[in-house]
Amino acid sequence: SSGINAEWPLRPGKYHNLVVEAVDKFNNCLKVNTLRGCTYSTETHQLATHLYASIYHVYILDYMKVFPKNQIYILQMEERTRDPITTINNLCDFLEIPRFPARILKKIFEEREGIARNQISDELKIPYVLPETTKLLEKFFKPYLRDLVDLLGDEKWYWSRPH
């Protein structure tokens, strides 16, 4: 199989079939290996790196073996997208460094957003995903999201979308 990452963007049906294959491969791996073993497996990653890389709690637990929880800053991409200035200010506070002036941050983000809008071609935009693909991915990630919520102690990490 060529994998999900190789031929982006994929037609919705082809993407669905590759997600089914990736989920099946991962679940078969779990029959003989640990979750961590399957998450880090180069064999499973050849098919769908972003699928397994999104089982965040496995990687965060590894960081927590080396760094205390209070030295790890985790943010949601949605937060950064929704309110980049507050996100950067919160990060500065966490790092105990001075905040950047709001006018400078605003200018930087406005420039970057304009550049990004002009550089994203149609073939790089996320394609339509079949409803059954969405349901399969939600089912696949549900227990891992619960583990992430339990690890970080905040329900904001548990996403769900209405159908």
Side-chain angles (χ1 to χ4, degrees):
S1 173
S2 60
I4 292 173
N5 303 318
E7 302 177 41
W8 198 257
L10 296 172
R11 292 180 320 278
K14 185 170 184 178
Y15 179 71
H16 178 78
N17 292 338
L18 288 171
V19 168
V20 168
E21 185 180 348
V23 168
D24 286 347
K25 190 169 194 172
F26 193 81
N27 288 334
N28 286 332
C29 180
L30 289 175
K31 292 176 183 175
V32 294
N33 295 292
T34 65
L35 174 61
R36 186 177 184 278
C38 294
T39 304
Y40 278 99
S41 169
T42 56
E43 183 179 323
T44 55
H45 277 254
Q46 289 174 2
L47 185 61
T49 300
H50 69 278
L51 190 71
Y52 313 128
S54 297
I55 304 175
Y56 303 119
H57 78 281
V58 171
Y59 304 103
I60 294 169
L61 280 168
D62 285 345
Y63 278 106
M64 288 180 171
K65 290 176 184 172
V66 180
F67 302 101
K69 188 175 180 178
N70 67 349
Q71 290 184 4
I72 300 172
Y73 188 80
I74 303 168
L75 64 94
Q76 290 178 311
M77 187 63 177
E78 295 86 353
E79 291 174 349
R80 190 266 181 226
T81 302
R82 185 174 46 253
D83 190 355
I85 293 173
T86 299
T87 302
I88 293 298
N89 283 334
N90 290 342
L91 178 60
C92 289
D93 294 347
F94 174 80
L95 294 172
E96 298 177 351
I97 62 173
R99 290 180 169 195
F100 295 94
R103 65 178 173 27
I104 292 174
L105 286 176
K106 186 175 179 184
K107 182 178 178 186
I108 290 169
F109 286 117
E110 286 172 353
E111 288 174 3
R112 291 190 63 142
E113 287 173 16
I115 291 168
R117 263 194 303 277
N118 292 331
Q119 289 181 345
I120 297 176
S121 61
D122 286 340
E123 62 268 4
L124 294 178
K125 292 180 181 169
I126 296 173
Y128 170 75
V129 176
L130 296 172
E132 55 263 38
T133 308
T134 300
K135 287 179 184 174
L136 176 62
L137 289 169
E138 287 175 346
K139 181 179 178 187
F140 175 78
F141 282 114
K142 186 175 184 173
Y144 307 124
L145 289 171
R146 176 50 48 204
D147 291 338
L148 182 63
V149 166
D150 292 346
L151 177 65
L152 299 178
D154 191 335
E155 288 290 324
K156 78 176 185 178
W157 300 102
Y158 195 83
W159 53 260
S160 61
R161 295 189 311 183
H163 296 286

